[in-house]
Amino acid sequence: MSGPLSVAVFRPDDDRIETAISVLESLGATPVADPMLAVEPTGATPTSDSDYVIFTSKTGIELAANAGWEPDETTLVSIGPGTTAAADRAGWQVDREPDTYSSAGLVSLLREAVDGASVEVARSDHGSPVLLSGLREAGADVTETVLYRLVRPADAGHSAELAANGDLAAAAFTSSLTVEHFLAAAEDRGIRAAALAGLDRAVIGAIGEPTRETAQSLGINVDVVPEQATFETLARRVVERARTADSA
């Protein structure tokens, strides 16, 4: 594929998509912004008496903070740097953060500490069951608080049309749900098979193993899984791989 290096990105239509666009532009790529996730708050907040409260996204932190929730004496756990930065902005001190930014990483971090403890997981309605089951197996009394629902925006899917037409050089999937929503949008347009064929000709990045596994299970071959589960690392690796493919 010659011409601009078009890279589809699917982050929510807020500062995350703006950051993604800036990162891709700084790498010399042409961003194709197609948000596949919209946030619907539930109005719920974590309880105040759990031994541990785990947040798995910056969105969860922001919603809880805006609702006036405070961590008080609980041990506050963040899934990764972006979530920790949101906690810092809210004036909270994060006590624990895993080396691997995933549900499995959180389980590994807390496995030896939570036997007999009350643990609250505050997240979206699409959280991985790995976190809940892993903590329960470690002996924790686990509850889940759904802070928000993740839905597909009604206008999402123009990147699927580009893929179907062979006009995408790459795509950077940042969660399993972005993969599922991309294919649902393609299905709604009657172009699922063509969009899959277009992705097969492009460079596909997945932010971590769970996202890669979802993509592979749905017929999308993944070329890049970065060593660090951040968008910046994912974007850099995807663009590098796409440039190599474009020059071959």
Side-chain angles (χ1 to χ4, degrees), residues 114-125:
V114 296
D115 187 14
S118 58
V119 180
E120 185 164 5
V121 178
R123 60 183 186 176
S124 80
D125 62 330

Side-chain angles (χ1 to χ4, degrees), residues 14-241:
D14 53 25
D15 60 308
R16 282 167 289 188
I17 198 70
E18 294 171 1
T19 298
I21 290 169
S22 296
V23 168
L24 288 169
E25 288 177 340
S26 73
L27 294 169
T30 300
V32 176
D34 191 9
M36 288 289 166
L37 303 174
V39 174
E40 287 187 352
T42 65
T45 58
T47 58
S48 58
D49 57 355
S50 297
D51 296 319
Y52 294 80
V53 174
I54 301 172
F55 284 91
T56 62
S57 70
K58 68 183 289 292
T59 299
I61 294 278
E62 291 165 353
L63 289 173
N66 289 341
W69 184 82
E70 293 286 343
D72 297 327
E73 298 302 313
T74 191
T75 297
L76 188 63
V77 184
S78 160
I79 197 170
T83 304
T84 298
D88 290 343
R89 290 192 294 271
W92 304 347
Q93 176 66 48
V94 168
D95 300 297
R96 306 290 301 274
E97 178 184 303
D99 294 328
T100 302
Y101 313 141
S102 67
S103 292
L106 285 167
V107 172
S108 178
L109 172 73
L110 299 173
R111 183 181 290 116
E112 303 302 322
V114 296
D115 187 14
S118 58
V119 180
E120 185 164 5
V121 178
R123 60 183 186 176
S124 80
D125 62 330
H126 282 85
S128 167
V130 168
L131 181 54
L132 304 185
S133 62
L135 293 172
R136 286 176 179 138
E137 289 171 5
D141 178 13
V142 182
T143 59
E144 180 183 32
T145 299
V146 175
L147 303 178
Y148 58 100
R149 300 182 184 90
L150 290 170
V151 299
R152 176 163 55 98
D155 59 350
H158 66 270
S159 62
E161 296 177 1
L162 292 176
N165 292 330
D167 293 330
L168 272 187
F173 290 103
T174 47
S175 69
S176 291
L177 201 54
T178 58
V179 177
E180 293 165 1
H181 283 182
F182 173 91
L183 291 177
E187 183 74 31
D188 286 351
R189 288 163 168 74
I191 57 172
R192 182 184 175 109
L196 281 169
L199 291 184
D200 197 45
R201 295 188 294 270
V203 170
I204 306 302
I207 200 164
E209 281 302 314
T211 305
R212 183 196 66 78
E213 290 168 7
T214 297
Q216 296 280 164
S217 72
L218 294 172
I220 299 173
N221 293 318
V222 174
D223 304 293
V224 171
V225 179
E227 62 280 4
Q228 189 176 47
T230 65
F231 180 78
E232 290 78 8
T233 308
L234 172 65
R236 185 174 65 253
R237 291 280 310 280
V238 165
V239 169
E240 288 171 354
R241 181 70 173 266

